[in-house]
Amino acid sequence: MSATVTPPFAPVRGLVGLAVGTDHKGVALRLGGAAFGFFLAGGVLALLMRGELAQPGMQVTSRGGYDQLFSMHGSTMIYLFVTPAALALGMYLVPLQIGAREIAWPRLNLIGFWLLVLGGLVMWSGFLTRNGAGSAAWTAEYPQSAAVRTPGPGMDLWCAGVALAALSGIALAACQLATIAGRRAPGMTLLRMPVFTWSMLVTCLMTVASFPALLLAMALLLADRHGAGVFDSAGGPAAYQNIFWFYGHPVVYVMFFPFLGAVLEVVATFSGRRVFGYRAIVISLLVFTALSMSVWGHHMFTTGQVANGYFSLTSTMLAVPAGLEYLAMVGTMVGGAIVLRTPMLFALGFIVQFLVGGLSGIYVASPPLDYHVHDSYFVVAHFHYTLLAGSVFGLFAGIYYWWPKVTGRLLFERLGRVHFWLFVVGTNVTFIPQFVLGYDGMPRRVADYSPAYGWAGWNTASTVGAGIVALSVLVFIVNVALTSLAGRRAGPDPWEAQTLEWATTSPPPRHNFTAALPAIRSHAPLLDLREEAIL
Amino acid sequence: MQDLYLPIAAAVFAVIVVGLPVVLVRYRARPGRTPRPTRDRYAVDAVVALVLAAVVAVLVVVTLRTNDTETALAKPGFRVDAVAFQWGWQFSYPSRPGVVDRSAPGRPAKLHVPAGTTVEVSLRTRDVVHAFWIPDLRFKRDAWPRKTARFDLRFPAGTVAGVGHCAQYCGLKHSDMVFFVDAMDPARFASWSRTRGGRA
C-alpha cells in the first residue's frame, strides 16, 4: 500500500481558491476582511456626518445627501460589519474550539459568505443610482420607506441588499449550529464547550430564530414598493415595525454575545485561571437569549401601538443575566495573576464602556423616561456605547488575542496600547456629548440644527472624538501592516491559553489538528494539561 | 423616576469603575504568584441574581405606576388639535373656532396654551409617522397614520416660551420640523384669546 493518502479532492489555490475554497478558516478570514472593509466604509460615512454636524448650517452635504449618509452608515455597520464580524469569529473558532476537522455544510457556509458580499455591493450600488442610496434609516419604517415617500431604485437596492445579508446570516448561523450539534470531538460534551463557543451557540440560535423576520420584512417592503400595497392600511405601519423589531432586537445580542464570549476567554487567559461560574454563564446566556425574543416592543414605546408595561418588564429583566455575566468577568479576575497585554486592555475597556451602554439601556427600558429620550441623541449615545464602545472593544480584544493563532505572528504590543488608548479617548469624547445633546432636546437623524439651541460646542467636541476614533483605527491598520512584515513568531500558544485552538499550530493546518487532541475533561483542556504537569 | 434610576446606575458604575482597578492591582501578576484555581461559588451567583431581581422588581413597579399616571387622561382645561405633516405643524383649538397656527416655509408654527392647567392634545398625521416632542416637558408621542393619539400636557405656571421638535425621521426636511411653544399665564392667555377672536 502507498504511504501517502490521496485527498478526495485537490485543494484549490490562488484567486479561484479565494472564491470557492471551503476551508472554514479561509472563508472566515474572507468574511472578516469583507466586514472590516465595510467597517471602514461605514466609518467614512460617520466622519462625513460628524463633519456636517460639527457646526450649524450645511457645509459638507445636502439634506438629501445627509439622509443617505446616516441611513447607509447604520445599515453598513449593523448588516455588513458587526453581524458578519461576529459570525466570522465563530466560523473560524467554533470548529477549532470543539476539536472538529471542518465546519458542517462547508458549501452552504461559503454561500453565506458570498451572499453577504453580494448584499453589501447591492446595497452600496444605490449610491450610483438616480436619487442615491437608501435613505429611510437602517430601519426603513413605513410609510416613510414607501415608494411614494422614498422613490428611486436606491431604496429598492437597499431592501434587496438587506434581504441578502439576512439570508447570509441564516446560512452562516445554521452551519455553526450544525457544527456544534454534530462535530464535537469525543469527550467534548455541551458543558465542556468553551464559553466563546457557547456564546456562538446562543448567537446562532437567535439568528435562525429572528433573521427570517427581517427577510420577511424586506420581501414585503419590496412588494409594497412595487404596487402590492402590503402595508398600506391602518394597521400596516405597526405591522411593519413589529416584524422588523422582532428581528431588530435579537440582532442587538447577535452583535454582543460573541464579543462577550471573546472577552470572557481573554479575561480567563490573562488572569491565568478558568472562568468563574461556568454554569451560571451558560444559564444566563440562555436566559438572555430567551428574553431577547420578547423585548422588541421597547423600540415602540412612543408609538402607542404596543403594550408598554409588558415590554418594559421583559427589557428591565435583562439586567439579571447581564449582571451575572459581569460577575463572571470580575470573579474570574479575583484570585488570578493578571497580565495586562493588549487583548486584556481591550477586554477591560469592553467591561467598563459596555456598562455605560447597559445602564443607559435599563434607563430607556422605562417608558416614562424613554418618552423623553427616544429618537434623540441620548439613544444614539446609548447604542453606540453598546455597539462601538462595547462590542467593537470586544472584537478588538478577540482580534489581538487570536491574531497570532490565525496568522502565526503577534501584533505589536506598543502600537496596540496606542490603538487602545486612542480608542478609549475617541469613543468617550464622541459619545458623552451626545448624551448631553439628546437630553437637551437634539433629535437624531437631523442634518442641521439652529445655532440658537447652543448645541454647537458639544457637537464640535463629538466630531473631534470621531476623528480620534478614526486615528485609532489607522494605528491598528499600521500595526497589522508592520506585523505582517516583521511580527514576532507566535508558536502554537503564546498566551498560555486554555482551549483547543491553542493545541494546534499557528495558523492551524487545513484540517485543524494533526496531532491527537488532548483529553477533554473540562471547558479548559489545556489548563488541565498544565495543572496535571505540575502534579 | 430619574431620582430612582440615576443613583442606582451611578452606584453600579462606581462599583465597577472603583472595584476593577482595585482587583487589577491586588491580583496583578508578580514573580512567584500563581493564580488561585477557580472554585465556582454558585451561591454567590444566586445571591447576585436575587438582588438584581429585587432591584428590577422595584424599577418595574415604579415604572408601571408612573406610566399609568403619566398616560392617564384627566379632565382638560384646554384642548389642542395638532396635525403633523411633511414638513410642519398645524395647531387648532376646539374652544377657539377659526384660530389656526400653521407652519409656513421658514416660519415654524407656534403652539398657544395656558400654563398651569391640563392641556389635552389630539395628535394626527397627514402622511408619514412624525413625533411630537417638547424637550422641556420630557415627553413625546408619535403621530401615527390613520390614528389619533390623545395625551395630556401640563405646562408649569411661569413657562414662557419653548421649542418642540419632530423626533421621528420623516424625510428631507425633518431637521426643520420645529415648532414654538407659548405657554401663557392667565392674564396673557385672556388677552391672546381676545385678540385671536375667541372667548376667554
Side-chain angles (χ1 to χ4, degrees):
Chain A
M1 285 210 24
S2 159
T4 57
V5 180
T6 313
F9 55 86
V12 191
R13 297 184 197 285
L15 274 180
V16 180
L18 284 180
V20 302
T22 54
D23 176 22
H24 69 98
K25 300 181 292 297
V27 180
L29 285 179
R30 281 173 265 153
L31 180 63
F36 193 76
F38 285 121
F39 172 55
L40 297 181
V44 169
L45 301 184
L47 291 175
L48 290 171
M49 287 159 69
R50 285 312 323 164
E52 180 57 68
L53 292 174
Q55 288 293 313
M58 300 301 291
Q59 295 89 10
V60 175
T61 178
S62 62
R63 271 155 211 253
Y66 186 84
D67 295 344
Q68 293 173 50
L69 286 182
F70 77 72
S71 300
M72 290 297 290
H73 165 74
S75 306
T76 301
M77 290 307 195
I78 288 171
Y79 301 119
L80 306 177
F81 164 49
V82 188
T83 303
L87 291 168
L89 212 53
M91 189 196 297
Y92 195 100
L93 291 165
V94 163
L96 283 160
Q97 287 204 325
I98 61 175
R101 286 162 49 84
E102 179 54 289
I103 199 164
W105 305 336
R107 292 181 191 85
L108 179 64
N109 191 55
L110 177 69
I111 289 170
F113 158 68
W114 278 114
L115 283 172
L116 190 276
V117 173
L118 191 62
L121 293 177
V122 166
M123 190 195 290
W124 271 69
S125 67
F127 278 117
L128 304 174
T129 65
R130 157 180 72 83
N131 294 353
S135 60
W138 80 277
T139 51
E141 280 161 11
Y142 196 90
Q144 183 56 43
S145 55
V148 64
R149 302 287 169 194
T150 308
M155 190 68 211
D156 292 325
L157 289 167
W158 182 91
C159 296
V162 173
L164 289 167
L167 263 180
S168 153
I170 297 167
L172 298 176
C175 295
Q176 291 178 38
L177 281 180
T179 308
I180 291 170
R183 302 231 164 163
R184 279 171 287 127
M188 179 61 76
T189 62
L190 284 177
L191 284 176
R192 288 179 193 160
M193 296 198 309
V195 285
F196 174 77
T197 292
W198 261 108
S199 76
M200 285 313 303
L201 170 54
V202 292
T203 295
C204 293
L205 281 175
M206 284 187 299
T207 303
V208 296
S210 70
F211 279 39
L214 178 63
L215 197 55
L216 176 67
M218 290 304 119
L220 294 178
L221 185 55
L222 260 182
D224 183 285
R225 289 176 58 80
H226 291 276
V230 181
F231 297 113
D232 191 12
S233 65
Y240 175 84
Q241 281 205 21
N242 275 303
I243 299 170
F244 180 84
W245 289 117
F246 190 77
Y247 147 83
H249 204 81
V251 73
V252 170
Y253 304 124
V254 167
M255 298 187 290
F256 165 53
F257 284 162
F259 309 114
L260 173 71
V263 164
L264 278 163
E265 303 260 356
V266 167
V267 166
T269 295
F270 291 91
S271 301
R273 65 206 293 262
R274 60 195 77 211
V275 288
F276 174 80
Y278 175 84
R279 280 164 195 244
I281 294 171
V282 170
I283 289 170
S284 58
L285 283 175
L286 289 169
V287 170
F288 231 125
T289 304
L291 278 175
S292 83
M293 303 298 297
S294 57
V295 298
W296 78 90
H298 70 216
H299 295 269
M300 302 169 69
F301 281 157
T302 63
T303 64
Q305 312 291 317
V306 293
N308 286 6
Y310 171 76
F311 287 110
S312 177
L313 170 71
T314 53
S315 304
T316 311
M317 278 164 67
L318 289 168
V320 178
L324 291 181
E325 303 294 356
Y326 266 77
L327 176 66
M329 290 188 277
V330 177
T332 304
M333 285 183 244
V334 173
I338 301 167
V339 183
L340 287 180
R341 303 292 294 271
T342 309
M344 186 64 174
L345 286 180
F346 274 98
L348 293 167
F350 169 92
I351 291 173
V352 173
Q353 305 215 130
F354 186 86
L355 189 60
V356 178
L359 292 171
S360 56
I362 297 298
Y363 183 93
V364 295
S366 173
L369 297 170
D370 188 60
Y371 294 150
H372 177 45
V373 295
H374 180 75
D375 271 338
S376 80
Y377 259 88
F378 188 96
V379 167
V380 176
H382 152 67
F383 68 71
H384 279 91
Y385 263 100
T386 64
L387 273 175
L388 182 68
S391 288
V392 178
F393 270 76
L395 173 64
F396 277 121
I399 288 175
Y400 278 88
Y401 180 57
W402 281 300
W403 193 269
K405 174 52 58 188
V406 172
T407 67
R409 289 173 191 270
L410 286 149
L411 285 163
F412 286 106
E413 193 68 14
R414 193 166 294 176
L415 279 171
R417 281 166 198 266
V418 173
H419 171 199
F420 169 75
W421 285 111
L422 281 175
F423 203 28
V424 169
V425 172
T427 47
N428 286 292
V429 171
T430 306
F431 297 113
I432 287 173
Q434 297 188 3
F435 276 124
V436 180
L437 286 165
Y439 200 83
D440 199 44
M442 183 165 167
R444 67 191 287 201
R445 295 164 178 161
V446 290
D448 195 15
Y449 52 91
S450 162
Y453 303 142
W455 294 337
W458 289 112
N459 270 303
T460 305
S462 185
T463 301
V464 170
I468 300 172
V469 170
L471 191 62
S472 80
V473 175
L474 282 181
V475 171
F476 170 70
I477 292 171
V478 168
N479 197 351
V480 167
L482 290 181
T483 299
S484 65
L485 294 175
R488 197 156 58 78
R489 298 272 171 197
D493 181 10
W495 311 119
E496 297 207 329
Q498 306 176 0
T499 43
L500 285 182
E501 74 270 29
W502 305 99
T504 184
T505 54
S506 305
R510 173 66 181 86
H511 286 121
N512 293 347
F513 301 93
T514 40
L517 291 173
I520 301 161
R521 285 191 286 268
S522 79
H523 57 267
L526 299 201
L527 195 59
D528 292 344
L529 277 185
R530 283 198 295 276
E531 284 173 358
E532 282 159 22
I534 293 169
L535 298 174
Chain B
M1 293 291 297
Q2 302 258 34
D3 306 343
L4 180 65
Y5 274 75
L6 286 182
I8 294 176
V12 174
F13 191 65
V15 166
I16 293 290
V17 167
V18 174
L20 209 52
V22 171
V23 170
L24 291 180
V25 171
R26 167 78 180 77
Y27 296 104
R28 70 188 182 281
R30 274 171 298 188
R33 160 181 234 130
T34 49
R36 221 166 45 218
T38 304
R39 294 238 326 266
D40 292 331
R41 290 170 219 268
Y42 291 112
V44 177
D45 286 285
V47 169
V48 168
L50 284 175
V51 169
L52 286 171
V55 172
V56 167
V58 171
L59 292 181
V60 169
V61 167
V62 173
T63 280
L64 294 186
R65 284 199 183 150
T66 311
N67 192 44
D68 284 348
T69 47
E70 214 169 277
T71 52
L73 294 178
K75 188 172 156 48
F78 190 68
R79 288 178 200 272
V80 176
D81 283 336
V83 180
F85 54 89
Q86 286 180 322
W87 288 275
W89 300 89
Q90 175 184 298
F91 304 112
S92 56
Y93 314 93
S95 60
R96 305 288 184 282
V99 180
V100 178
D101 291 303
R102 195 173 194 284
S103 303
R107 196 174 53 78
K110 188 181 267 187
L111 169 66
H112 291 90
V113 285
T117 182
T118 300
V119 176
E120 186 184 292
V121 180
S122 296
L123 175 65
R124 287 182 297 123
T125 169
R126 218 175 271 164
D127 36 59
V128 300
V129 181
H130 300 276
F132 175 102
W133 181 28
I134 300 179
D136 286 344
L137 295 186
R138 313 255 172 275
F139 186 80
K140 78 168 63 69
R141 189 69 188 268
D142 291 3
W144 209 255
R146 304 187 218 199
K147 313 229 167 167
T148 302
R150 276 204 178 71
F151 53 91
D152 284 355
L153 297 176
R154 201 179 168 89
F155 294 84
T159 311
V160 186
V163 66
H165 297 279
C166 173
Q168 169 71 41
Y169 172 65
C170 56
L172 198 61
K173 294 186 177 172
H174 167 54
S175 328
D176 301 342
M177 219 177 127
V178 294
F179 59 92
F180 296 123
V181 181
D182 190 2
M184 298 169 281
D185 60 32
R188 277 188 60 229
F189 184 68
S191 91
W192 173 78
S193 293
R194 278 193 303 277
T195 55
R196 295 296 291 268
R199 299 172 307 279

